[in-house]
Amino acid sequence: MLFLAGCTPPEPPAPLTEFPEVSALPERPELPPLFDSFNSKHVAKTAADWNDWRRPQLIALFDHYVYGARPPMVDVSSTRTASYDGLVPGARWEEWDLQLGGDARAVLHVAVIKPLSATGAPPVIVGLNKCGNQSLVADPRVRLTTSLVIPACGTSAAQTRGTQATLWPLERIIQRGFAVVTFHESDAAPDDDEKFATMLRASFRAPEGTPPRASWGTLSIWAWALAHVGAWTATETGLDSTRIAVFGHSRRGKAALLSGAVTNTFAAVIAHQSGTGGAALNRSAEGETIELINLAFPHWFDDVYPGFANAETKTPVDQHQLLALWAPRRVVLVDADEDRWADPDGAFAASVAAQPAWTLLGASTDLVSWQQRLGMHSVEPSDWELFLDALGW
Ligand code: GCU
């Protein structure tokens, strides 16, 4: 950029350290802007502006007002505990223990499922599973989860063997040349309001100075754990470090979106029917409201976000900006026409409103895709064809 002699370039806006109370925020029926600074008259006009101050500013706003701030990333040490060829046809199933930050209580039990015959390093799908790794296949060799099994899964880990197999059509994913890296969400944080304070939250603290009410909720914890597993996958598994996508359905789609929005760990996201707190706009009239999501799942977000109940137009950030934080990487959104609770139209509108971020960074807006299939809220084996096709890997 050229500056006239005698002029100095304007200083970038200072990082956000103060956040107005919800009651002090203005009503804004239109979507918050992608590029205008929150606390000054600056406008991001270049990739450098975006990376240097606007992206960090948006992350700080989402952390404070919506999801809660996560601790800084920590070191991961890992041990392979088992390896079985052919447990899934055509694949090796490996089991790993990942210890986070040297804390013996903070261990993620990760399953790595790799194609046995691959030309070159395979691309990878990283995702949380709901009921434990043993729920993906019926084979009794898979280690049972020792973390909390939520009632929606069954009364014991053993009872859940193979129960999530249709959501994870591993044989087909392997046939298509992809590897899968997955772990039980309860290893990071159980999806249970009463047990919310256990696991990673017991071991790690939000950054110094974070007000307790803006400290990480479950989605933020899941996102943090996913980012560690993604970074570990890139360096320790021999899989393709440049083609790692994070996948999630519904609440796990919200966590997947957040995980790569606030880090550069993943090359792509597949957010399936992610709804409120995911790809759907707060300002969209349809689907789940901020009030209802916080009443039903008080542990998912921080304690600031419920303040926007029935005041959606006051949110200083909206979900098109969460998508924009993925620029210039690939975003794959899939919804279903009868799944009105997840607000497919609100996700479509967010995907369109996010696209100028790709343009600013010199990337094609084709990298942002939204598709709607017929049917309801569920993961069908055929959805995986949509996901993998849309990745284009
Ligand atoms: C509930 C919740 C949604 C969530 C969904 C799911 O319906 O209201 O926000 O996405 O569960 O995770 O299946």
Side-chain angles (χ1 to χ4, degrees):
M1 190 182 286
L2 278 180
F3 293 100
L4 297 177
C7 293
T8 47
E11 291 293 319
L16 292 179
T17 48
E18 310 245 316
F19 299 88
E21 293 296 324
V22 174
S23 57
L25 291 166
E27 296 264 357
R28 181 199 285 275
E30 73 282 8
L31 292 182
L34 285 183
F35 301 130
D36 297 7
S37 171
F38 179 71
N39 59 344
S40 68
K41 299 241 171 289
H42 293 77
V43 179
K45 295 194 173 116
T46 64
D49 290 342
W50 177 260
N51 292 321
D52 292 350
W53 61 264
R54 182 57 177 155
R55 186 164 183 255
Q57 193 178 75
L58 284 171
I59 291 172
L61 290 167
F62 277 110
D63 280 355
H64 182 84
Y65 287 110
V66 185
Y67 301 102
R70 294 152 305 286
M73 299 281 280
V74 296
D75 289 340
V76 173
S77 56
S78 62
T79 317
R80 193 170 72 172
T81 58
S83 175
Y84 309 108
D85 283 1
L87 189 150
V88 168
R92 169 169 301 158
W93 177 291
E94 295 176 351
E95 303 196 340
W96 290 80
D97 286 355
L98 270 57
Q99 186 175 314
L100 271 53
D103 189 318
R105 291 169 306 174
V107 177
L108 305 176
H109 303 287
V110 175
V112 178
I113 305 117
K114 311 173 159 167
L116 276 170
S117 59
T119 44
V124 196
I125 308 290
V126 174
L128 295 168
N129 63 66
K130 172 176 168 179
C131 301
N133 299 341
Q134 79 286 336
S135 67
L136 273 59
V137 283
D139 194 295
R141 286 173 291 177
V142 174
R143 180 186 184 284
L144 291 176
T145 183
T146 49
S147 298
L148 181 79
V149 175
I150 56 172
C153 293
T155 50
S156 70
Q159 209 192 50
T160 71
R161 282 199 189 280
T163 52
Q164 301 279 308
T166 50
L167 278 76
W168 294 90
L170 293 174
E171 189 174 348
R172 176 65 184 150
I173 299 171
I174 292 289
Q175 265 171 12
R176 291 207 48 174
F178 284 78
V180 170
V181 173
T182 183
F183 62 102
H184 185 195
E185 64 195 22
S186 293
D187 283 4
D191 190 5
D192 178 306
D193 188 32
E194 309 221 318
K195 307 224 165 45
F196 163 63
T198 62
M199 307 310 294
L200 297 188
R201 202 167 200 265
S203 301
F204 302 99
R205 296 272 163 277
E208 193 85 11
T210 305
R213 69 205 172 92
S215 176
W216 54 351
T218 303
L219 296 175
S220 199
I221 300 177
W222 286 347
W224 192 78
L226 280 167
H228 284 83
V229 172
W232 172 84
T233 300
T235 55
E236 302 300 323
T237 57
L239 301 167
D240 188 346
S241 63
T242 66
R243 293 184 296 165
I244 304 180
V246 61
F247 156 74
H249 167 64
S250 210
R251 66 197 69 183
R252 296 160 203 91
K254 306 180 208 295
L257 277 170
L258 178 62
S259 181
V262 298
T263 65
N264 291 318
T265 306
F266 298 103
V269 60
I270 305 163
H272 186 238
Q273 304 176 336
S274 60
T276 300
L281 293 170
N282 292 320
R283 283 171 176 73
S284 164
E286 203 174 20
E288 188 171 22
T289 61
I290 293 179
E291 180 183 29
L292 292 179
I293 201 167
N294 281 293
L295 281 174
F297 307 100
H299 52 296
W300 281 1
F301 300 93
D302 68 11
D303 294 337
V304 179
Y305 191 51
F308 295 104
N310 301 309
E312 271 78 0
T313 55
K314 284 188 156 222
T315 54
V317 278
D318 211 326
Q319 302 307 102
H320 63 305
Q321 293 164 313
L322 191 76
L323 301 184
L325 291 171
W326 277 88
R329 297 165 290 163
R330 191 176 283 279
V331 171
V332 176
L333 306 179
V334 180
D335 279 294
D337 65 342
E338 291 177 54
D339 183 15
R340 306 320 301 180
W341 188 242
D343 187 13
D345 296 345
F348 172 68
S351 72
V352 173
Q355 287 179 2
W358 275 256
T359 307
L360 182 76
L361 299 183
S364 167
T365 54
D366 291 347
L367 290 164
V368 187
S369 72
W370 173 87
Q371 302 174 73
Q372 180 167 255
R373 62 139 165 93
L374 300 178
M376 318 266 286
H377 192 71
S378 64
V379 187
E380 304 299 330
S382 55
D383 290 337
W384 280 91
E385 308 296 336
L386 301 179
F387 304 156
L388 302 184
D389 288 348
L391 285 178
W393 295 342

